[in-house]
C-alpha cells in the first residue's frame, strides 16, 4: 500500500528489509524510484498507480545493488535512469552470464528467491556524467551523486516537495555499509557523501532511506550525525556506540551486527596492509 509522505510523493515499504519504493506524481505520469523487491508487490504497486490514473513515465535506480535494479512488466517500458557510473557497473555485472543465477542463489536463504523477477533486471539508461537534474516532466529532482556505499550512488532531492530520497544511507536500521571493493578510501568517500547530504539538509522536510523508516525534518541532521559518528569510529578502530548494532538493534535486524563486524575486520586488514 502506498503512503503519502508529501504532496504528490508516496512510499511503499516492502516486507523484505523494509525496502522503500518512492512514487512522485508528475504532469504526465509518475516517477518511480527503486520500485520494490517481489513480483507481487510490484504488480500491486502498478495496480495502485493505475487506480490513481497514473502511469510510470520514468524510473530511477539510486545505485547498482540488486535490490534497487528490479522491475515488473506491469510497470511499463519507461526509461529507467541511473547515473553513468551506476549504469556502467550494471553493464559490467550483466556481462557475466551467471550474474542472475548468483542473485537467486544469494536469495535462497531468505525464502523469497522464487518471488523476485529478474527478466527485466538492470536495464538502466545511463544519464550523462555529472547530470544534476532528472529529465522528466514533474517536480525538479536534483541528483546528488557520490561514491559512498556503491559506485554511482545517488540521492534524489525533490526540491519542491522537500523530500530527500537517500538510497542506502541515513537509515534507522542499517549501519553505513562501505564500498570496500570499489574505492581507495571508502571512509573518506562516505564522509564526503554525508557532507553533500548535509548541504541540503536544511531544506529537507521528509527523508526516505532505501531501507528503514521514513523520517521527518527533525531526523535529517540526527541521522547524518549518527552515520558520521559510526564511520569515524570505524576509522579510529573503535566499536561504535550505535543503536543499530548489538542488543539495542531493532528486533529482526540483529544481523546488522554481523555486517558491522565484517566491515571492521576488512578495514583492519586494509590498515595492516597499508
Amino acid at each position: 500500500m502506498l503512503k503519502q509522505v508529501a504532496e504528490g510523493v508516496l512510499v511503499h515499504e516492502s516486507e523484505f528489509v523494509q525496502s522503500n519504493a518512492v512514487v512522485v506524481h508528475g504532469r504526465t505520469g509518475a516517477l518511480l524510484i527503486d520500485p520494490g523487491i517481489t513480483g507481487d508487490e510490484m504488480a500491486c504497486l502498478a495496480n495502485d498507480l493505475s487506480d490513481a490514473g497514473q502511469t510510470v513515465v520514468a524510473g530511477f535506480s539510486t545505485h547498482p545493488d540488486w535490490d534497487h535494479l528490479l522491475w515488473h512488466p506491469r510497470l511499463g517500458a519507461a526509461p529507467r535512469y541511473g547515473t553513468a557510473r551506476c549504469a556502467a557497473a550494471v553493464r559490467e555485472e550483466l556481462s557475466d552470464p551467471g550474474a542472475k543465477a548468483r542473485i537467486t542463489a544469494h536469495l535462497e536463504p531468505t525464502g523469497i528467491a522464487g518471488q523476485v523477477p529478474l527478466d527485466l533486471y538492470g536495464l538502466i539508461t545511463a544519464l550523462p556524467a555529472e547530470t544534476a537534474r532528472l529529465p522528466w516532466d514533474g517536480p525538479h529532482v536534483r541528483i546528488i551523486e557520490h561514491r559512498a556505499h556503491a559506485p554511482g550512488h545517488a540521492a534524489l532531492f525533490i526540491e519542491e516537495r522537500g523530500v530527500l530520497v537517500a538510497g542506502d544511507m541515513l537509515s534507522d536500521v542499517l549501519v553505513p555499509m562501505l564500498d570496500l571493493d570499489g574505492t581507495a578510501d571508502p571512509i573518506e568517500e562516505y564522509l564526503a557523501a554525508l557532507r553533500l547530504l548535509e548541504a541540503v539538509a536544511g531544506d529537507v522536510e521528509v527523508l526516505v532511506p532505501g531501507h528503514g523508516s521514513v523520517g521527518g525534518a527533525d531526523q535529517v541532521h540526527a541521522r547524518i550525525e549518527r552515520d558520521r559518528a559510526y564511520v569515524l569510529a570505524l576509522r579510529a578502530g573503535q566499536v561504535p556506540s550505535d543503536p543499530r548494532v548489538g542488543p539495542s538493534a531493532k528486533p529482526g535486524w540483529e544481523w546488522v551486527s554481523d555486517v558491522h563486524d565484517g566491515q571492521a575486520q576488512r578495514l583492519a586488514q586494509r590498515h595492516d596492509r597499508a
Side-chain angles (χ1 to χ4, degrees):
M1 179 181 296
L2 285 166
K3 177 182 178 181
Q4 182 165 310
V5 298
E7 180 185 351
V9 182
L10 305 98
V11 174
H12 174 269
E13 182 184 292
S14 171
E15 292 183 7
F16 182 78
V17 293
Q18 288 184 245
S19 300
N20 291 314
V22 181
V23 171
V24 185
H25 288 176
R27 282 177 282 274
T28 59
L31 164 66
L32 179 54
I33 307 165
D34 295 345
I37 305 297
T38 70
D40 285 349
E41 70 184 11
M42 283 188 273
C44 181
L45 178 57
N47 287 337
D48 289 345
L49 289 170
S50 178
D51 291 345
Q54 293 277 323
T55 57
V56 178
V57 296
F60 191 88
S61 290
T62 55
H63 61 287
D65 284 352
W66 73 267
D67 52 328
H68 298 262
L69 298 170
L70 301 168
W71 201 255
H72 192 280
R74 293 279 309 282
L75 295 171
R80 298 156 53 189
Y81 297 113
T83 66
R85 290 187 182 95
C86 172
V90 178
R91 284 196 303 272
E92 182 178 356
E93 178 190 12
L94 291 177
S95 68
D96 181 344
K100 293 181 181 180
R102 277 195 299 276
I103 294 171
T104 299
H106 170 73
L107 289 173
E108 285 297 342
T110 70
I112 68 165
Q115 304 172 46
V116 177
L118 295 175
D119 288 348
L120 300 176
Y121 175 83
L123 302 181
I124 302 301
T125 297
L127 292 170
E130 313 305 326
T131 298
R133 291 192 181 275
L134 191 69
W136 84 299
D137 189 19
H140 288 173
V141 177
R142 190 190 310 180
I143 300 171
I144 305 173
E145 183 178 354
H146 53 76
R147 294 175 182 266
H149 182 69
H153 194 302
L156 297 183
F157 183 36
I158 308 161
E159 296 173 314
E160 298 165 47
R161 305 292 184 257
V163 178
L164 178 65
V165 182
D168 276 6
M169 298 181 70
L170 309 187
S171 171
D172 63 330
V173 289
L174 281 177
V175 296
M177 292 188 288
L178 309 180
D179 184 9
L180 295 171
D181 297 312
T183 65
D185 191 344
I187 292 285
E188 182 48 44
E189 293 289 5
Y190 214 100
L191 293 172
L194 290 173
R195 290 192 291 270
L196 290 175
L197 300 181
E198 194 169 36
V200 302
D203 297 318
V204 175
E205 297 294 330
V206 179
L207 166 65
V208 185
H211 305 275
S213 303
V214 174
D218 60 327
Q219 286 286 304
V220 182
H221 285 289
R223 293 195 190 185
I224 290 172
E225 288 305 320
R226 183 177 294 165
D227 277 5
R228 180 181 286 124
Y230 176 90
V231 173
L232 289 174
L234 281 183
R235 183 168 71 180
Q238 301 170 353
V239 178
S241 176
D242 194 299
R244 297 167 291 187
V245 179
S248 58
K250 185 176 178 180
W253 290 82
E254 293 83 1
W255 56 271
V256 175
S257 294
D258 294 334
V259 173
H260 161 72
D261 291 344
Q263 290 192 138
Q265 182 179 20
R266 290 189 64 188
L267 283 169
Q269 292 170 347
R270 288 169 67 110
H271 177 75
D272 290 342
R273 290 194 299 266

